[in-house]
Amino acid sequence: MKTPGAGARATLRAPRSADIARLVALAGDPEVARHLERLPHPYEEVHARTWLTDLERARGREVAFALDDGTGLIGVISFRTLDETPEIGYWLGRRYWGQGIMSEAARLALGRLFETTPASAGICGSMSRLRCILYISTTQAWFSRRSATCLSN
């Protein structure tokens, strides 16, 4: 039986303090930072610690998943402003680009978000169940295309 949040290439899990060194190393790469509006560069340990603390405080308004390939964190996917209009943010360490990891992780993360948080009620509150499922599927398809486009630039 497959572990919830486990894909063929990476598993979703909660970010933790043991990830700080990898967060700094991977998110600190200028090529990764170049694609990210909200990530400070250079990315330092203080930024990683602050993000983890802020994430804990934002429980219910923000959900983040660490992508773990079995060797440790390789990227992050997060959903912000869940109590308003949700936003998706994501990054992946450069050496993991072009392998389909983020496309797979996005599908898993969206599924987990809609299964485990009240965000689905906010996003799909006035939609029929079928329309909500179509919305989620469309969002997943867009994310897959967007991920491939960003990483090919």
Side-chain angles (χ1 to χ4, degrees):
M1 182 173 191
K2 203 174 209 183
T3 305
R9 298 171 189 90
T11 300
L12 302 179
R13 62 168 173 77
R16 52 189 181 228
S17 58
D19 295 325
I20 289 175
R22 292 203 59 163
L23 279 165
V24 171
L26 297 175
D29 180 330
E31 280 301 303
V32 172
R34 182 171 74 91
H35 297 283
L36 303 172
E37 183 178 306
R38 290 192 171 113
L39 197 74
H41 186 74
Y43 193 78
E44 299 173 350
E45 184 176 327
V46 66
H47 299 119
R49 288 190 186 284
T50 300
W51 177 69
L52 289 170
T53 300
D54 290 349
L55 189 58
E56 186 63 33
R57 287 187 192 137
R59 189 168 290 207
R61 294 184 322 275
E62 182 171 354
V63 175
F65 300 102
L67 282 58
D68 190 319
D69 70 348
T71 66
L73 179 136
I74 62 171
V76 171
I77 183 165
S78 65
F79 300 91
R80 299 170 45 101
T81 63
L82 294 177
D83 53 345
E84 298 171 21
T85 303
E87 300 173 10
I88 299 172
Y90 59 94
W91 64 267
L92 192 61
R94 185 171 19 160
R95 71 181 121 179
Y96 305 99
W97 292 1
Q99 300 173 41
I101 295 170
M102 190 53 74
S103 296
E104 179 181 90
R107 285 188 290 277
L108 288 169
L110 281 166
R112 291 268 302 271
L113 177 73
F114 280 87
E115 289 169 6
T116 62
T117 68
S120 58
I123 296 168
C124 299
S126 61
M127 296 181 192
S128 70
R129 182 161 171 73
L130 178 59
R131 284 184 61 211
C132 184
I133 291 168
L134 289 172
Y135 174 82
I136 294 166
S137 297
T138 302
T139 303
Q140 289 173 336
W142 175 87
F143 195 97
S144 294
R145 287 192 308 275
R146 176 79 174 135
S147 179
T149 301
C150 284
L151 297 180
S152 65
N153 289 339

